[in-house]
Amino acid sequence: QPLMGRLVDRHGARHVMPLTLLGLAAALAAQALCAALPPRWVGPAIFLAWLGVRGCGFAINNIAATNINQWYSRYRGTAMSCSNIGAKMLEGFVVAQLYERSVAASGWIDTQLVGAAACAAFALVAAVTVRHTPEQVGCNPDGISPAASGALGTASEEHEKDSLLGDDGDEDTQAVSKATAVDMTLQEALRTRSLWILAANSFSLCTVMAGSDLHLMSILEEAFPGAIASGAVSVSGLMLLPGTVAQSTLCMLFGRLFDTGLEPRYILAFAGVCAASYAQLLALMSVTSVGWMRVLMVVAGSTKGMCGAGLTTCQGVVYAKYFGRAHLGAISSIDKVGMVAG
């Protein structure tokens, strides 16, 4: 992830995004072709291909967020929220449903190959349409003229002097608050406390969420044998769809609140409470009836979506807010390292 971040800062999203999409296509195709290997090599090969899928997926998210932050400043939160809503709606209401039906009809191998072809097609679209910064096409962030942009930056300098901890007095906070006027390098950002707090937050939240998801199916199958396989309980319908609606709704709200000056610590604290609640709700599912389990699954899915809304919105806007645009890809990639580790 740090390597991809540096590449984005140096060469721009227009060049790095298509190559990353092609890498994702290759990883998906490799997963599908692993079935033709000798049995003893299938497991390791699928695992390596899975690492490629995950790595490219995280890199694509980082590249997209970096690109959006280059184009927006005053309305960065709203822009990032719209992007997250579109991606989540596409994932929850389109991709997941198509994937589930394709696997049932054609098997996972053909489905992976179709996904690889789609990624290759998107790589071509990205190569034609993506631009790294507005300055490359004679524009400014938010469409503001250079003179108005300079006046706005001076007027809003004091407004940007909030820190993750809400303390404006220490040296770390003062250094972070200057990022709106002076772009920090990765080395400078690594010396601030706020970067490590943000990365640790992503690590802890992803640890809770991933650990809960890892045991979700085993919890449900152990409590209600055959309920998932027979269709009596639909994980997709009862958890994914409510989660998509909850995340999409709160993403827009959080984005607007960020644009009006809300401190990120409140959203991050909210996401932490939702992550802990999600884990507790999964534990309750194993000691309840099928009827109540359906209710808990809807609540758990919504809670997970609310956690995702807080985390993704903060990740999307806070790094540009504190550390500037020049080295945003490399700096925000530290957060992705925390997510992957979690």
Side-chain angles (χ1 to χ4, degrees), residues 159-168 176 194 197-198 201 205 254 257-272 309-311 313-323:
H159 174 70
E160 296 289 349
K161 287 186 178 179
D162 52 59
S163 72
L164 182 66
L165 300 180
D167 181 4
D168 295 337
V176 171
S194 295
I197 292 176
L198 289 167
N201 175 79
L205 288 183
F254 290 157
L257 291 175
F258 270 120
D259 290 341
T260 58
L262 180 70
E263 294 181 19
R265 57 176 177 159
Y266 297 120
I267 306 299
L268 293 176
F270 175 81
L311 183 60
T313 305
C314 280
Q315 289 172 333
V317 301
V318 75
Y319 286 93
K321 175 184 178 70
Y322 288 132
F323 306 110

Side-chain angles (χ1 to χ4, degrees), residues 102-281:
S102 178
V103 169
S106 305
W108 71 272
I109 294 179
D110 291 342
T111 301
Q112 293 292 85
L113 292 175
V114 171
C119 289
F122 281 122
L124 178 61
V125 174
V128 174
T129 60
V130 172
R131 297 294 185 275
H132 184 48
T133 64
E135 289 82 0
Q136 291 179 343
V137 292
C139 299
N140 294 288
D142 298 321
I144 302 174
S145 66
S149 179
L152 177 63
T154 302
S156 63
E157 182 176 353
E158 291 299 322
H159 174 70
E160 296 289 349
K161 287 186 178 179
D162 52 59
S163 72
L164 182 66
L165 300 180
D167 181 4
D168 295 337
D170 63 1
E171 295 180 358
D172 180 79
T173 298
Q174 293 175 9
V176 171
S177 68
K178 294 177 182 177
T180 56
V182 179
D183 291 312
M184 288 190 180
T185 65
L186 176 60
Q187 289 73 24
E188 291 171 338
L190 288 171
R191 292 196 291 268
T192 66
R193 183 179 57 187
S194 295
L195 177 62
W196 294 107
I197 292 176
L198 289 167
N201 175 79
S202 294
F203 170 80
S204 60
L205 288 183
C206 289
T207 299
V208 173
M209 301 300 288
S212 300
D213 287 342
L214 182 64
H215 298 287
L216 173 61
M217 296 305 296
S218 61
I219 290 174
L220 297 180
E221 286 289 2
E222 182 178 352
F224 306 98
I228 304 297
S230 66
V233 175
S234 171
V235 176
S236 177
L238 293 176
M239 293 192 69
L240 182 59
L241 296 183
T244 299
V245 173
Q247 181 165 346
S248 301
T249 303
L250 284 184
C251 266
M252 181 56 70
L253 173 62
F254 290 157
R256 295 295 296 173
L257 291 175
F258 270 120
D259 290 341
T260 58
L262 180 70
E263 294 181 19
R265 57 176 177 159
Y266 297 120
I267 306 299
L268 293 176
F270 175 81
V273 171
C274 289
S277 301
Y278 175 67
Q280 293 299 318
L281 286 168

Side-chain angles (χ1 to χ4, degrees), residues 7-17 63 130 132 136:
L7 289 175
V8 174
D9 293 335
R10 178 174 298 182
H11 301 290
R14 186 180 186 184
H15 297 97
V16 180
M17 176 69 87
I63 295 168
V130 172
H132 184 48
Q136 291 179 343

